[in-house]
Amino acid sequence: MTPPPFDPELAPVVEMLRVLRPPLASLADIPGRRELNAAEHRTVEELAAAYPGYKVAEEYAGDVPLLVMAPASSAGVLYYVHGGGTIVGSHLGADVPNLLAWAGELSLTIVSPGYRLAPEHPYPAPVEDCYAGLLWTAERYAAPLVLGGISAGGGLAAATALLARDRGGPSVAGQLLLCPMLDDRNDTPSAVDFDGRGLWDRTANRVGWTAYLGDLDDVPPYAAAARATELAGLPPAFLDVGTAETFRDEVVAYAGRIWQAGGEAELHVWPGGFHGFDSLAPEARISRAARAARLTWLRRLLGQ
């Protein structure tokens, strides 16, 4: 099969980033990826200085650190889980400026959990950390509360929504799932087509899932949300993904199964988009369109 091409504005960005990023072919490559990623981390003090319109603090839900960024007047809370394949990243990393670049328009309080990373902390540690942070957030902030995340964070957000439903946990107004990492089976046509292409290919995806699942034989839905057999009773969902990325087909399938269960889901599949394109190429026309669609959904959900 011939995979879809990258958007013309995005193609040179993909090539540049592939040169800059070390390969991720095995668990042994994780330290190198973490070293590269660490350069994007900020301290709470640096974030406070960079965003004077927010009250910035690091709180704790038990042992789970939480970045809290509250505007002077808050219209709700976005509980946002960072990406990184479950193996890299931080609640103080590059996701923060990317997130505020668009979510800041809505005057939302941002809460982001610093969940433990695999392989040192495999399932269920990361998702349980996310759920603990969600409980803490719901206890301290008034609704509406939106649960979201990108890439591995989107997958963890989807799994956290399943936990909240099944444990009778906090009421969540919506799920914002941005190019989410949902299916450990890694066998869709898009996963096969984009092995060796893009920024998070089938091989890297296998490394991430292997680290996260450890020795699990029977993978539960709280580890990989695509494994869920029942998707009824979940909050309204927004899902987006590019046509030119590994996660395309699993995201489309997840949205379809929400509809089949009688749920509400808005799905955007961006032609030529690579994984995380709107964060990594923010000025591209397709990136601006993706952020606008996301904001439109959030405004409607929040009644803004």
Side-chain angles (χ1 to χ4, degrees):
M1 297 177 64
T2 302
F6 296 111
D7 175 271
E9 286 187 278
L10 300 182
V13 179
V14 173
E15 294 308 314
M16 177 188 69
L17 291 173
R18 282 180 65 85
V19 170
L20 293 174
R21 294 184 176 190
L24 190 60
S26 72
L27 296 178
D29 295 324
I30 292 175
R33 184 60 65 92
R34 286 181 177 171
E35 184 177 350
L36 180 68
N37 188 265
E40 301 173 334
H41 296 179
R42 302 291 180 265
T43 66
V44 169
E45 292 74 20
E46 288 171 335
L47 288 171
Y51 299 98
Y54 289 83
K55 181 180 178 182
V56 183
E58 188 170 52
E59 305 285 356
Y60 284 85
D63 294 328
V64 182
L66 300 163
L67 173 67
V68 179
M69 300 189 69
S73 178
S74 178
V77 179
L78 175 56
Y79 182 82
Y80 190 84
V81 187
H82 73 78
T86 74
I87 55 177
V88 302
S90 164
H91 60 308
L92 301 173
D95 280 8
V96 177
N98 292 334
L99 173 62
L100 291 177
W102 55 269
E105 295 185 29
L106 301 177
S107 297
L108 298 175
T109 294
I110 307 297
V111 181
S112 185
Y115 59 88
R116 288 169 288 176
L117 299 177
E120 296 87 350
H121 304 284
Y123 173 83
V127 72
E128 290 292 354
D129 287 353
C130 292
Y131 187 69
L134 182 70
L135 290 174
W136 182 96
T137 303
E139 289 171 357
R140 287 160 178 79
Y141 293 94
L145 169 60
V146 179
L147 170 58
I150 187 168
S151 191
L156 287 168
T160 301
L162 291 168
L163 280 176
R165 180 196 65 184
D166 295 345
R167 292 178 177 176
S171 177
V172 174
Q175 308 175 75
L176 184 70
L177 309 179
L178 310 180
C179 53
M181 180 179 172
L182 299 168
D183 197 340
D184 65 290
R185 289 164 289 199
N186 204 23
D187 60 1
T188 64
S190 61
V192 173
D193 286 349
F194 284 92
D195 199 4
R197 300 183 75 234
L199 301 183
W200 183 262
D201 68 358
R202 190 186 192 192
T203 301
N205 200 37
R206 185 179 298 114
V207 173
W209 280 113
T210 299
Y212 183 48
L213 297 179
D215 297 328
L216 270 183
D217 293 322
D218 186 17
V219 179
Y222 311 121
R227 296 275 191 166
T229 57
E230 179 55 72
L231 295 180
L234 291 171
F238 177 100
L239 304 97
D240 71 1
V241 71
T243 61
E245 70 161 296
T246 301
F247 295 155
R248 181 194 68 211
D249 294 342
E250 64 195 65
V251 173
V252 171
Y254 197 73
R257 292 180 56 225
I258 292 174
W259 296 325
Q260 292 159 17
E264 181 183 335
E266 181 172 323
L267 171 66
H268 292 264
V269 184
W270 297 101
F274 64 81
H275 186 62
F277 67 90
D278 77 279
S279 296
L280 296 167
E283 297 307 315
R285 283 171 290 183
I286 190 175
S287 300
R288 295 196 299 268
R291 290 194 299 273
R294 192 179 302 157
L295 288 170
T296 297
W297 179 82
L298 277 168
R299 286 192 175 100
R300 187 170 65 249
L301 181 76
L302 300 172
Q304 290 193 17

